[in-house]
Amino acid sequence: MTPKEAVKFAKDHGARMVDLKFMDFPGMWQHFCIPISELDEGTFEDGVGFDGSSIRGWQAIHVSDMLVIPDPATAVMDPFTEVPTLSLICNIVDPITRERYSRDPRNIAQKAEAYLKSTGIADVAYFGPEAEFFIFDDIRYDFRENCGYYYIDSVEGQWNTGREEGPNLGYKARYKEGYFPVPPTDSLQDMRTEMVLLMEKVGIRVEAQHHEVATAGQAEIDMRFAPLTRMADNLMMYKYIIKNVARKHGKTATFMPKPLFGDNGSGMHTHQSLWKGGKNLFSGMGYAGLSDLALYYIGGVLHHAKALCALVAPTTNSYKRLVPGFEAPVNLAYSSRNRSAGIRIPMYTPKPEAKRVEVRFPDNACNGYLAFAGMLMAGLDGILNKIDPGEPLDKDIYELGPEELKDVPSVPGSLEEALNCLENDHEFLLKGDVFTQDVIDVWLWYKRKKEVDPVRLRPHPYEFVLYYDL
């Protein structure tokens, strides 16, 4: 859609307001609105000003003025506003130099796509994340100097089988058995369908929706793959729709990787492939129907996986999910069909156009623009340097003894460890000026200062169970 077409689209749909959405550094959408009278074709060139110093991880107060430049290709009608509102996703530029802002995550994603083309390897990188989430009925949490707690509840929660509910009707998914019984055990079928229909209304193609493994309303809606930046845009609209539909029904949705103890967490298995001239470059005659190029791509992702974790599993809570000995894909190996490996090659169909790799250790608490760009850069580094991924791991990982497992590397054990790995291994991200040293430095500072340190400084409630009587 061109600027002219976007303005016409707004008028044709009776828009009275324009919502300008953009991505902050850690990974949440921000927005502000202007009346439709303020939108014309020049807005897509001139932009609209805002205070960049109030956005997490961005400008200092003495250089706070910035511009949002709406992308007309992202124009849709917002599905939730009472007043008809045009929604536009924006890029960020400096008002003086008119240069794209280096810390704008969408800019980083677009630079990754440009770098891919500059290598001559491929025209497009397709990404297809499987974003899991929970839909709860109640969430309360607090932390003070003298107390700290969280409380989650769900009418689907297995822990509520004995609760007085006036009446309690049962049909609560047992732990690790939410994948995937029909209603009435699956009580969220209609809500997920409502989410899907709204996604389709704003142009997101959906392949499937279903209940996920955990009790208490874990769910998954699978989007059709799309080019890198477009998919990162889609992922943000996906989260926006899920959270707002849940709220409409008096429920709350979360993409937190591990909100429940003793049941599955939420990951974001991310399918990816490279194409050139309409041909899937990952299809070949090698292992699991992969090309040599695809195997080198896997080699790059595995080689840089520990550093990538700081971008694709970027919260302290991520490492409550990525724990050895359980179902989480902590082993940095690749395999066909084996869901315990960090990278899996799906074998659902023999069609060459469907050949792809699935990186399984990311979670959807990530900033999609940074996560997808980071994985692409690692894969390209593998291709350019012909990094051998080693032998596949097709055995049952749970049955392997310590001797066999000792040579299989695993993901970091904490966000702090992942950040240290990124600090020591990020040259591959700097190629083509995709990530800048400033972006890496600020990411490391922000995560350590705003997330790692606050968690490290506070006593954990379970420490009272372990240590109070010592």
Side-chain angles (χ1 to χ4, degrees):
M1 198 178 294
T2 65
K4 183 176 181 179
E5 291 169 337
V7 172
K8 184 178 185 300
F9 175 84
K11 291 179 178 177
D12 289 347
H13 287 80
R16 297 175 60 189
M17 297 293 294
V18 181
D19 196 52
L20 304 172
K21 298 180 173 72
F22 61 96
M23 193 69 151
D24 74 4
F25 200 54
M28 289 185 65
W29 251 356
Q30 309 294 322
H31 81 130
F32 63 96
C33 290
I34 60 174
I36 192 66
S37 59
E38 294 297 306
L39 180 73
D40 56 30
E41 292 180 45
T43 308
F44 296 91
E45 179 70 28
D46 301 332
V48 182
F50 73 102
D51 176 9
S53 69
S54 296
I55 305 301
R56 298 181 299 171
W58 277 17
Q59 295 289 81
I61 196 166
H62 66 285
V63 285
S64 61
D65 288 353
M66 305 190 80
L67 293 174
V68 294
I69 305 292
D71 183 345
T74 66
V76 295
M77 294 302 293
D78 192 293
F80 297 106
T81 54
E82 183 178 346
V83 172
T85 300
L86 179 71
S87 173
L88 292 166
I89 300 174
C90 302
N91 298 317
I92 310 301
V93 304
D94 184 286
I96 307 301
T97 66
R98 304 293 299 188
E99 292 181 352
R100 291 289 302 275
Y101 186 44
S102 63
R103 296 184 196 174
D104 175 13
R106 197 167 192 261
N107 179 33
I108 293 169
Q110 291 170 332
K111 286 193 293 182
E113 290 182 303
Y115 175 70
L116 169 65
K117 292 177 182 178
S118 76
T119 65
I121 293 170
D123 303 321
V124 60
Y126 284 114
F127 281 77
E130 299 177 9
E132 299 168 342
F133 55 97
F134 280 90
I135 301 172
F136 295 134
D137 291 288
D138 189 36
I139 173 66
R140 289 178 279 135
Y141 51 89
D142 197 3
F143 202 99
R144 306 179 192 182
E145 291 78 6
N146 65 321
C147 67
Y149 77 97
Y150 68 89
Y151 181 83
I152 294 168
D153 206 6
S154 166
V155 72
E156 278 199 4
Q158 176 64 200
W159 60 83
N160 280 326
T161 56
R163 183 172 68 175
E164 290 280 351
E165 292 183 346
N168 188 322
L169 300 177
Y171 300 112
K172 302 179 192 300
R174 285 180 284 270
Y175 298 111
K176 299 184 181 295
E177 293 187 22
Y179 188 90
F180 26 45
V182 299
T185 301
D186 177 4
S187 69
L188 300 168
Q189 166 72 16
D190 290 340
M191 191 185 303
R192 293 194 308 271
T193 294
E194 182 178 343
M195 294 167 177
V196 169
L197 294 179
L198 284 178
M199 289 177 192
E200 291 183 329
K201 188 175 181 179
V202 298
I204 298 174
R205 186 173 173 182
V206 175
E207 294 184 330
Q209 62 97 336
H210 58 83
H211 205 288
E212 255 299 339
V213 174
T215 190
Q218 192 181 33
E220 181 178 313
I221 298 173
D222 294 333
M223 295 178 283
R224 176 85 168 174
F225 63 85
L228 189 156
T229 301
R230 178 62 179 165
M231 179 49 75
D233 290 341
N234 287 351
L235 181 61
M236 293 312 299
M237 184 60 76
Y238 173 100
K239 291 182 175 182
Y240 181 67
I241 288 172
I242 286 168
K243 290 177 180 178
N244 279 284
V245 170
R247 188 176 189 275
K248 171 188 167 185
H249 288 272
K251 296 182 184 288
T252 177
T254 182
F255 293 89
M256 188 174 176
K258 186 67 172 176
L260 294 182
F261 168 69
D263 212 335
N264 284 38
S266 294
M268 189 181 73
H269 308 149
T270 305
H271 300 254
Q272 43 207 280
S273 60
L274 299 182
W275 290 61
K276 186 173 186 178
K279 180 183 178 182
N280 184 357
L281 301 180
F282 278 14
S283 178
M285 302 300 292
Y287 173 80
L290 294 176
S291 64
D292 288 344
L293 181 141
L295 289 168
Y296 290 139
Y297 187 98
I298 290 172
V301 173
L302 291 176
H303 181 73
H304 297 294
K306 290 177 182 287
L308 280 177
C309 280
L311 299 174
V312 305
T315 70
T316 59
N317 186 251
S318 299
Y319 299 89
K320 302 292 194 298
R321 167 182 170 258
L322 294 174
V323 177
F326 295 90
E327 294 182 23
V330 300
N331 299 286
L332 295 178
Y334 71 102
S335 175
S336 66
R337 307 176 70 178
N338 190 336
R339 294 170 187 267
S340 301
I343 297 180
R344 185 176 77 96
I345 298 89
M347 302 297 288
Y348 297 122
T349 172
K351 293 181 179 179
E353 61 268 26
K355 191 55 61 179
R356 60 200 187 273
V357 302
E358 176 191 0
V359 182
R360 294 177 62 81
F361 48 87
D363 62 57
N364 48 44
C366 71
N367 182 325
Y369 298 99
L370 302 185
F372 299 159
M375 286 186 280
L376 175 61
M377 296 301 289
L380 291 177
D381 191 58
I383 293 169
L384 292 170
N385 291 294
K386 296 187 176 181
I387 298 176
D388 185 350
E391 293 299 313
L393 187 62
D394 287 331
K395 298 178 181 179
D396 185 344
I397 292 174
Y398 299 118
E399 299 300 321
L400 296 181
E403 191 63 26
E404 291 179 285
L405 271 176
K406 68 179 177 64
D407 294 325
V408 180
S410 62
V411 298
S414 67
L415 177 59
E416 183 176 16
E417 184 182 342
L419 294 170
N420 291 340
C421 292
L422 177 62
E423 187 169 36
N424 294 323
D425 176 24
H426 60 261
E427 291 297 322
F428 69 99
L429 296 171
L430 304 180
K431 293 180 179 178
D433 198 40
V434 174
F435 289 76
T436 63
Q437 188 63 50
D438 171 70
V439 165
I440 300 298
D441 290 343
V442 174
W443 185 261
L444 293 171
W445 172 84
Y446 185 91
K447 287 290 174 177
R448 286 167 173 162
K449 182 74 173 178
K450 303 293 186 179
E451 298 180 29
V452 172
D453 286 350
V455 171
R456 177 169 37 204
L457 288 169
R458 287 162 170 81
H460 189 284
Y462 202 71
E463 290 176 322
F464 288 85
V465 177
L466 295 174
Y467 308 128
Y468 188 77
D469 59 349
L470 291 181

